[in-house]
Amino acid sequence: MPDAPARLILILGDQLSPDLSALKQGDPARDVILMAEVSAEATYVKHHKKKIAFLFAAMRHRAAELQAAGWQVRYARLDDPENSGTLPSEVARAMADFNCADVLMTEPGEYRLKAALTDWAADTGTTLDMLPDDRFLSDHAQFQAWAAGRKQLRMEYFYRDMRRQTGLLMAGDQPEGGQWNYDAENRKPAKGDLFMPHPLQFAPDEITAEVLDLVADQFDDHFGTLTPFWFAVTRDQALAALDHFADTALPLFGDYQDAMLTGEAFLYHSVLAQYLNAGLLTPMEICRRVERAYYDGHAPLNAVEGYIRQIIGWREYVRGIYWLKMPGYTAENALGAQRPLPQYYWSGQTDMACMKSAITQTQEEAYAHHIQRLMVTGNFALLAGVDPHEVHEWYLAVYADAYEWVEAPNVIGMSQFADGGLLGSKPYAASGNYIHKMSDHCGSCRYNVRHKTGPQACPFNPLYWDFLIRNRDTLGKNPRLGHPYRTWDRMSAEKQQDYLTSAAKVLDRIETL
């Protein structure tokens, strides 16, 4: 019998896992792997320079590993003169060059790319076998079954099911320690005299140095600084980074996970999400490593539970929401917000110390932790009525761990409340007092957090009340907002007008704050 025709296995930049479903069904003796750096994927939003460099470097290292393992790999570099610039056209070019009959791949994480490849296959008559991405713990059908018939899709109940499914931090059929969630213990403000361990850093090797030169040349107009570049770009390095976090930062991660300090980008955070989301790490190996730290007596339960909840709870949950509600979810705008994104989200040039700190850090590191994203840059955009789609595209562009499946629900749903409460029970709106409590930013700010109105007032203060009042028709019956609305109604008419007048002046000069 004649040999079966070659099959093309497409591996995407966030599919760098050794146990990828497409690889498990592949045959090194006849199949050809395609990995491609294409301008379309690097520029559909203008991704952070460090994000592009991380992915290209990790892809090149992974391609070398696959070749060493005996696979035939077609690797299309961005600067290859024959590179056509899009994934569908690179697939077509590789199929022609290697006489491949069909294409095998693991499902893309983003709806946009899945649709583009599916449409291309239909238009060209190509057989495209798209396998489920079994690196996640909850598949599409499982999440849809969980969501069916529920009036509210609250993460906490999904998370408990995932704990039972995985057995993580379970004592029989009960949660370790007797409760599911220790978040109430994880809200301590940090002090500057705490010892701050840093994520494990890696010097660029020859492959990565070549990528850095490429990115500097091809993406000079993109957001962010490229160097110093210290990310892990191989699985072995990512595993070392995981061990380093568990050994050095995990014990205090829980206590201070919501804290912010000027000049301290990482505090006790793991900075592993970009490795996990690109496939260099898997969710269960991270969770088992962290769980072991608890049972070994190295880390307390509030830290370990809080970290595991982010991965098997929140991460799996937002992916479920994304695929349940796409297409269309990224266009949601329940509050009708239309204001353009202020320019300082790109430049960092603002006198608001908390915003300047978060944005400048993002420029430098392609990273900010969840409270900086939710309660500083996200909160300000929410209060100011910025178009949520512009906010969504900014977050997608600037963070190394951002892919639409994880970023869009966090921004559209949790941060901007643009889905009308599908994901969150209330908007995460707060005045400057929250930032003052959880950070040291207010002490160095030209605005005074204790001033509620007037030219020296923290802009978050009048904007908070303005946000609630202009959205009262939509939010007024939300039971979790009953207290602030009652507080407003008890104010004198003069005080109410002072807040609204101050907010209007802030919004009039929003680009120069």
Side-chain angles (χ1 to χ4, degrees):
M1 296 180 64
D3 292 338
R7 178 174 52 180
L8 193 72
I9 300 177
L10 175 61
I11 296 180
L12 304 176
D14 60 349
Q15 297 181 341
L16 307 181
S17 309
D19 59 348
L20 192 69
S21 58
L23 281 178
K24 288 186 285 189
Q25 289 200 16
D27 179 0
R30 71 178 181 93
D31 295 333
V32 178
I33 288 174
L34 171 64
M35 300 177 72
E37 304 166 0
V38 294
S39 59
E41 294 306 305
T43 60
Y44 70 93
V45 295
K46 296 181 78 167
H47 296 288
H48 196 297
K49 296 184 187 76
K50 277 191 169 78
K51 180 181 183 180
I52 299 172
F54 162 63
L55 285 172
F56 284 4
M59 289 168 65
R60 291 187 185 189
H61 282 88
R62 180 65 181 137
E65 292 169 355
L66 290 165
Q67 286 178 319
W71 289 92
Q72 183 175 197
V73 179
R74 162 72 163 266
Y75 193 92
R77 296 190 175 210
L78 187 83
D79 52 1
D80 180 345
E82 297 186 12
N83 189 317
S84 54
T86 71
L87 280 172
S89 55
E90 280 305 290
V91 171
R93 186 164 73 96
M95 290 184 73
D97 288 350
F98 290 94
N99 195 29
C100 295
D102 51 23
V103 181
L104 175 69
M105 70 176 301
T106 297
E107 179 186 64
E110 297 191 356
Y111 183 92
R112 167 194 61 83
L113 189 52
K114 181 178 180 179
L117 289 164
T118 302
D119 290 348
W120 166 82
D123 291 344
T124 60
T126 302
T127 299
L128 173 60
D129 188 4
M130 195 174 281
L131 302 177
D133 191 345
D134 58 10
R135 297 175 299 168
F136 291 90
L137 306 176
S138 174
D139 62 28
H140 300 326
Q142 179 182 347
F143 190 85
Q144 290 167 3
W146 175 83
R150 294 177 184 262
K151 292 182 179 179
Q152 295 181 321
L153 303 181
R154 296 293 173 252
M155 188 277 290
E156 179 66 24
Y157 302 107
F158 173 79
Y159 166 58
R160 295 179 186 184
D161 287 347
M162 295 303 293
R163 287 273 294 277
R164 296 184 186 100
Q165 175 182 317
T166 60
L168 287 163
L169 292 180
M170 295 296 292
D173 60 355
Q174 295 299 312
E176 193 69 52
Q179 63 189 68
W180 294 101
N181 186 316
Y182 290 85
D183 204 34
E185 299 179 24
N186 294 344
R187 297 168 184 165
K188 294 180 182 177
K191 298 179 180 179
D193 59 356
L194 288 170
F195 168 70
M196 300 293 176
H198 281 203
L200 192 59
Q201 300 188 0
F202 302 89
D205 62 8
E206 185 176 347
I207 293 174
T208 301
E210 190 175 14
V211 168
L212 293 174
D213 289 342
L214 172 73
V215 173
D217 179 61
Q218 297 290 324
F219 303 101
D220 183 58
D221 63 336
H222 280 225
F223 178 84
T225 58
L226 181 58
T227 57
F229 184 91
W230 53 265
F231 295 157
V233 293
T234 69
R235 175 165 166 76
D236 285 346
Q237 289 178 342
L239 287 167
L242 168 59
D243 282 336
H244 179 79
F245 163 67
D247 291 339
T248 65
L250 176 62
L252 289 175
F253 164 77
D255 289 359
Y256 300 108
Q257 66 172 287
D258 287 2
M260 296 172 283
L261 281 177
T262 303
E264 290 288 351
F266 308 112
L267 283 83
Y268 300 95
H269 292 271
S270 70
V271 200
L272 297 175
Q274 68 199 57
Y275 309 145
L276 173 60
N277 291 348
L280 297 179
L281 297 174
T282 68
M284 282 304 292
E285 71 188 347
I286 293 178
C287 290
R288 289 296 184 200
R289 178 65 179 86
V290 169
E291 182 188 48
R292 187 168 82 244
Y294 168 68
Y295 287 118
D296 288 348
H298 179 67
L301 185 55
N302 70 303
V304 173
E305 184 279 319
Y307 194 82
I308 287 175
R309 177 163 22 98
Q310 289 188 354
I311 295 179
I312 69 167
W314 192 253
R315 181 176 185 267
E316 296 281 335
Y317 167 77
V318 297
R319 178 180 182 256
I321 292 287
Y322 176 79
W323 285 105
L324 188 69
K325 295 300 178 181
M326 286 295 284
Y329 188 74
T330 58
E332 294 281 352
N333 192 354
L335 300 180
Q338 301 294 335
R339 190 176 302 279
L341 188 75
Q343 183 58 33
Y344 42 76
Y345 273 77
W346 300 106
S347 70
Q349 298 304 306
T350 172
D351 288 334
M352 293 179 286
C354 59
M355 290 282 286
K356 185 179 184 67
S357 179
I359 295 167
T360 301
Q361 174 188 312
T362 298
Q363 289 175 317
E364 295 171 352
E365 304 290 355
Y367 168 81
H369 71 67
H370 64 284
I371 293 299
Q372 293 172 299
R373 301 188 200 195
L374 178 65
M375 300 308 299
V376 179
T377 52
N379 182 25
F380 184 81
L382 175 70
L383 298 182
V386 176
D387 183 333
H389 190 75
E390 289 196 34
V391 182
H392 148 66
E393 290 197 331
W394 182 78
Y395 279 92
L396 185 58
V398 302
Y399 292 114
D401 59 10
Y403 299 87
E404 193 178 75
W405 65 265
V406 64
E407 172 274 325
N410 273 292
V411 173
I412 297 296
M414 189 176 191
S415 172
Q416 301 303 296
F417 205 71
D419 65 3
L422 172 75
L423 189 149
S425 59
K426 72 174 184 67
Y428 278 84
S431 69
N433 186 57
Y434 176 88
I435 296 168
H436 182 47
K437 176 184 175 183
M438 297 307 299
S439 80
D440 65 351
H441 296 319
C442 299
S444 61
C445 188
R446 65 152 284 200
Y447 298 104
N448 192 326
V449 71
R450 292 183 174 85
H451 289 200
K452 305 303 182 184
T453 60
Q456 297 304 311
C458 167
F460 285 79
N461 290 338
L463 288 182
Y464 171 74
W465 289 111
D466 186 70
F467 166 78
L468 289 177
I469 299 315
R470 73 172 181 266
N471 291 297
R472 190 163 192 170
D473 288 347
T474 304
L475 301 176
K477 294 182 180 179
N478 186 308
R480 296 193 64 190
L481 294 176
H483 176 71
Y485 278 117
R486 287 192 296 272
T487 298
W488 174 265
D489 290 340
R490 288 194 296 268
M491 291 182 193
S492 67
E494 182 181 23
K495 188 173 184 180
Q496 290 178 345
Q497 188 58 52
D498 193 19
Y499 272 120
L500 298 181
T501 299
S502 289
K505 291 179 179 179
V506 167
L507 293 174
D508 282 345
R509 60 185 182 92
I510 192 168
E511 287 288 354
T512 59
L513 291 175

